[in-house]
Each structure stands twice: as C-alpha cells, then as structure tokens.
Amino acid sequence: MNLYAIRRRDFWGTPEELQQTAARSAEVGAEMSDDVRWIRTYVVQEESGKLGTVCLYEGTSAEKVREQAERTGMPADEITLVADTVIVNPDPVPATT
C-alpha cells in the first residue's frame, strides 16, 4: 500500500461532530481493510473557526482513499501521495490532567 496525506477543510463545527465522523470512518475502514488503512489524524483549527484535519492513510490507490471518505460522508479536499517520511522528534503526547 502507498501512504497518502488527506486534507479536509472547514468540515466540523465541534469536536463532538468530528468524533462522530471518526467513529463512522473507522467502521467504513474496517469494511475496506483490504484497500484502506487509517493511520492517524491531526485536527487543525481553521481560520473560519471550524475544525479541519490532516490525515494519514495507507491505501491501494488514491481512488480507494476517496471512496472511503465518500462512504463515510466526509470530504477529501486534497489527497496527496507521500513521497517520504522524515521524523525529527516523535509526536508529542497530550498532557493529562
């Protein structure tokens, strides 16, 4: 499988809406596990005040990654093949309270 970065802009109004979509995305991903694998998502605050995401997926093709998004009911504004990965430091771990 190839690695893809997916940009989803201005789609969610609340973190709860995003969590609902994430749950549905996991369900659809399980149905499509031969073609698509969700790796991780970074949630970004858009200038509009809504939430967007940058997601990393493995997929057999960009078309299968787009199909997974469509079946989930979310956008896939940009799907880009990842050429390489450079890790300088591991992802930060959120602080617990």
Side-chain angles (χ1 to χ4, degrees):
M1 284 198 213
N2 294 312
L3 186 64
Y4 295 94
I6 299 94
R7 183 69 167 98
R8 307 179 205 281
R9 299 179 187 279
D10 295 300
F11 189 68
W12 298 276
T14 66
E16 293 78 21
E17 289 176 0
L18 190 143
Q19 288 300 324
Q20 289 174 350
T21 304
R24 176 67 181 137
S25 180
E27 291 172 3
V28 172
E31 296 167 4
M32 298 182 65
S33 62
D34 289 342
D35 291 305
V36 176
R37 182 171 168 245
W38 181 13
I39 306 298
R40 74 173 42 133
T41 294
Y42 297 97
V43 179
V44 296
Q45 184 71 56
E46 302 284 3
E47 289 182 15
S48 67
K50 289 188 171 189
L51 299 174
T53 59
V54 177
C55 304
L56 295 178
Y57 277 73
E58 286 183 332
T60 54
S61 68
E63 292 77 18
K64 286 295 184 180
V65 172
R66 187 172 306 283
E67 177 185 338
Q68 191 273 349
E70 290 171 355
R71 288 176 54 183
T72 298
M74 65 182 166
D77 300 313
E78 300 169 34
I79 299 175
T80 307
L81 182 63
V82 174
D84 199 359
T85 302
V86 176
I87 299 173
V88 177
N89 289 296
D91 287 343
V93 176
T96 57
T97 54

